């Protein structure tokens, strides 16, 4: 979708050095991202100031 909108992805904008996948959730960049990585990514995001981190198991009903 970023190609169609001619915008950078959220990974390119904010997390270019993250070793893993970052997928924006929601319209126009969304309020959340889904992250997939081989290693626990919590420290990376906490160091960037993001303190609300939910594991997949916490999100699934």
């Amino acid at each position: 979708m970023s190609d169609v909108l001619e915008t950078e992805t959220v990974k390119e904008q904010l997390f270019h050095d993250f070793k893993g996948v970052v997928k924006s959730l929601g319209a126009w960049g969304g309020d959340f991202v889904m992250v997939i990585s081989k290693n626990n990514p919590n420290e990376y995001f906490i160091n960037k100031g993001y303190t609300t981190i939910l594991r997949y198991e916490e999100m699934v009903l």
Side-chain angles (χ1 to χ4, degrees):
M1 200 63 198
S2 63
D3 288 340
V4 173
L5 297 173
E6 297 180 356
T7 61
E8 290 183 313
T9 65
V10 70
K11 183 172 182 178
E12 292 168 337
Q13 289 176 359
L14 302 173
F15 311 116
H16 57 88
D17 59 339
F18 179 70
K19 300 207 183 330
V21 177
V22 179
K23 172 68 175 100
S24 176
L25 301 177
W28 306 108
D31 297 326
F32 295 92
V33 294
M34 177 175 57
V35 174
I36 301 170
S37 67
K38 290 184 179 182
N39 300 313
N40 186 333
N42 289 2
E43 185 176 338
Y44 173 87
F45 289 97
I46 289 169
N47 287 337
K48 288 205 166 268
Y50 297 95
T51 57
T52 303
I53 300 172
L54 303 170
R55 295 180 49 81
Y56 176 78
E57 292 83 6
E58 296 174 271
M59 298 286 292
V60 177
L61 297 176

